[in-house]
Amino acid sequence: MTDPAVDALRPGAAPATPAEADPATPTVPDGDVPEDPPAGVDLGRLATYLAAHRPELAAGPLGATLIAGGKSNLTYLLRAGDREVVLRRPPLGHVLATAHDMAREFRVISALAPTDVPVPGAILHCPDPEVIGAPFYLMGRVTGEVFRTRAQTDPLGDGPRRDLAMAMMDTLAALHRVEPTAVGLADFGRPEGYLERQVRRWAGQLDRSRSRPLPGIDELRDRLAATVPASANAGRIVHGDYRLDNLLATVDPVAVRAVLDWEMATLGDPLADLGLLLTYWDVLGGSETAAGNPVADGLGPRAGFPTGGELIDRYAERSGVDVGPLHWHVALGCFKLAVICEGIHYRHTLGQTLGQGFDRIGEMVAPLIAYGLTAAGER
């Protein structure tokens, strides 16, 4: 997992601003880089480009390893001589440039570098698609772990799981306390009408992403459009796909080392981040489809973490944000994730995904629609 998540939409179905993100994981198993580079990186062209723009990264042979976990944008560990950096590029296949905006990610991590929000160091942005087949950027490698599965989170124990969840909320609160003008992001989005645009944008993506019947999703769209709440918090920096497995963290000590996947970042209502996080946490994490699912397996109370209510309390205490009509934002999160997951499902049926775990993404769409309809009907 754009005024612009989780992940890849149908090729060519991008909106006018970035529209999805992925759970990229900047950690790889120990071992040598394969002799043959993975798809999506032309090491010869890349070496030539680095020699001209960052010669310190072109002093030795290049190697690349696709980092497991990404469902949309592709993330690679790049070994440049004795250095290791991380490369991000859009997914394979034809997509509109605005759907996977590398410049947007690079700009926001550069801007947030001096703040309390932990981000990887920005190294280089290349807008030229001729170098490796798509625009890309390089960032520093941050050590830590992306917690995504029960196999990772079960051994932590109750105390560390709770501390990790609270660190996640403290980091989100820190992001929403950043003043955009203070970090050069005053023009990063259009806060006015943000929520209305979100509904319209994801409704448009729905129309472009349908590949099978989706009972109830049109009703959910219509309920959201008819009940957009007034925003008391407009103008904050919004990540757009904030969740546990978009963080690099440590547990000894417990700390968030870096927030990843900023392609959906904009200026808008911070409750959109909180509502989407609760969708992952309580809706997907509490569903029977969560078991073994690469997006939701290690999340929420079902996996031994604190409840969504406890997360809300921690966030409200640390952020100073009025949580207001949060049920609407959860319904929006359900709608957004349903559309995104349907897009991933579609890409998987076309064979346009790299990595494992895509075969179960489509199972999440129906429970998301059902919960979204319930949340949209609350008062």
Side-chain angles (χ1 to χ4, degrees), residues 25 92 201 246 258 267 293 313 343 365:
T25 310
L92 304 181
R201 180 163 294 117
N246 268 341
L267 301 185
N293 195 292
D313 290 343
V365 176

Side-chain angles (χ1 to χ4, degrees), residues 50-335:
L50 293 178
H53 297 274
R54 292 302 295 257
E56 73 277 15
L57 297 178
L62 291 181
T65 299
L66 178 68
I67 295 172
K71 301 296 182 290
S72 174
N73 284 344
L74 300 177
T75 307
Y76 305 81
L77 179 68
L78 185 69
R79 289 190 172 110
D82 60 355
R83 293 190 58 179
E84 293 183 336
V85 298
V86 173
L87 183 150
R88 287 268 284 173
R89 59 148 291 163
L92 304 181
H94 174 68
V95 293
L96 298 182
T98 51
H100 304 271
D101 193 340
M102 298 294 98
R104 192 173 193 87
E105 285 199 39
F106 189 80
R107 181 183 176 190
V108 72
I109 65 170
S110 299
L112 290 173
T115 73
D116 292 336
V117 182
V119 290
I123 297 175
L124 171 72
H125 171 241
C126 174
D128 184 0
E130 297 302 318
V131 178
I132 66 168
F136 69 92
Y137 73 91
L138 300 181
M139 58 184 171
R141 186 185 185 192
V142 179
T143 58
E145 186 170 359
V146 172
F147 291 95
R148 177 175 292 112
T149 69
R150 292 290 294 268
Q152 294 171 289
T153 59
D154 282 352
L156 298 181
D158 292 341
R161 279 196 297 265
R162 180 177 183 80
D163 291 345
L164 183 60
M166 295 306 150
M168 174 182 69
M169 301 314 296
D170 292 349
T171 301
L172 183 61
L175 170 64
H176 293 162
R177 290 196 305 266
V178 173
E179 173 53 53
T181 58
V183 294
L185 294 178
D187 62 343
F188 196 59
R190 295 179 294 139
E192 301 79 9
Y194 168 76
L195 296 178
E196 290 88 349
R197 290 197 308 276
Q198 285 286 293
V199 176
R200 291 196 302 271
R201 180 163 294 117
W202 290 103
Q205 290 291 12
L206 170 63
D207 292 339
R208 299 180 183 96
S209 300
R210 294 179 193 263
S211 62
R212 56 181 178 164
L214 300 172
I217 200 166
D218 293 317
E219 181 184 353
L220 176 56
R221 174 202 60 205
D222 294 343
R223 286 192 191 181
L224 287 168
T227 58
V228 176
S231 177
N233 310 293
R236 310 286 183 106
I237 300 172
V238 175
H239 179 275
D241 194 28
Y242 192 86
R243 62 183 192 269
L244 182 62
D245 68 338
N246 268 341
L247 309 178
L248 270 171
T250 57
V251 293
D252 188 18
V254 172
V256 175
R257 298 293 309 280
V259 182
L260 308 173
D261 301 344
W262 291 91
E263 68 173 291
M264 296 168 69
T266 189
L267 301 185
D269 191 324
L271 291 185
D273 275 343
L274 185 58
L276 185 61
L277 174 59
L278 293 171
T279 301
Y280 284 114
W281 202 257
D282 287 338
V283 183
L284 292 184
S287 169
E288 292 296 329
T289 63
N293 195 292
V295 174
D297 185 33
L299 299 178
R302 186 187 182 98
F305 284 96
T307 66
E310 292 175 273
L311 300 190
I312 295 169
D313 290 343
R314 179 73 167 217
Y315 172 82
E317 174 190 346
R318 300 300 175 94
S319 68
V321 172
D322 177 8
V323 296
L326 191 53
H327 64 277
W328 187 92
H329 294 272
V330 171
L332 175 63
C334 290
F335 180 61

